[in-house]
Amino acid sequence: MTWVSYFAVFFLIWWVTLFAILPFSLRTQDEDGNVTLGTTASAPRGSHVRRAALRTTIVSLIIFATLWVLTNQLGFSFDDIPRIAPVID
C-alpha cells in the first residue's frame, strides 16, 4: 500500500475509534447536580473533546501499528482473510 492508502486507513480507524471512545468518562450535568437553566439534565458537564481526541489518537495508533505489522512485517493482506480460518466440510 502507498502512504496515501495508509493515511486513508488511519483516518477511518481514527473516526470509528472516536465514536467508540466518546461516551467514556462523560459526566452529565445531572450526575454533578448542577443543571444549567435551559439545558437538559443529560447534557455533558463540560467539554471533553480534547481528552477524547488524545485517547482516540493513542488507541488508533495502536490499532494502526498492529495492522501495519500484519501487512508489512508478516506479509498478510486483506486477500488472506478467507484463508485464515480452516474450511469445514
Side-chain angles (χ1 to χ4, degrees):
M1 290 196 318
T2 65
W3 68 272
V4 176
S5 299
Y6 281 123
F7 179 76
V9 169
F10 179 77
F11 181 76
L12 290 172
I13 291 171
W14 193 90
W15 275 104
V16 170
T17 307
L18 174 68
F19 289 117
I21 285 183
L22 269 177
F24 293 108
S25 76
L26 176 70
R27 296 202 34 96
T28 63
Q29 293 179 13
D30 189 34
E31 290 173 345
D32 279 351
N34 186 12
V35 179
T36 304
L37 186 62
T39 63
T40 61
S42 61
R45 175 178 48 99
S47 178
H48 72 285
V49 176
R50 196 173 286 140
R51 189 175 345 125
L54 179 65
R55 288 180 183 163
T56 300
T57 303
I58 292 169
V59 171
S60 297
L61 284 172
I62 293 169
I63 294 170
F64 183 76
T66 304
L67 176 70
W68 185 83
V69 166
L70 286 173
T71 56
N72 281 8
Q73 303 301 317
L74 299 178
F76 289 109
S77 69
F78 291 113
D79 294 332
D80 294 326
I81 292 174
R83 291 182 286 242
I84 291 174
V87 177
I88 300 173
D89 291 327

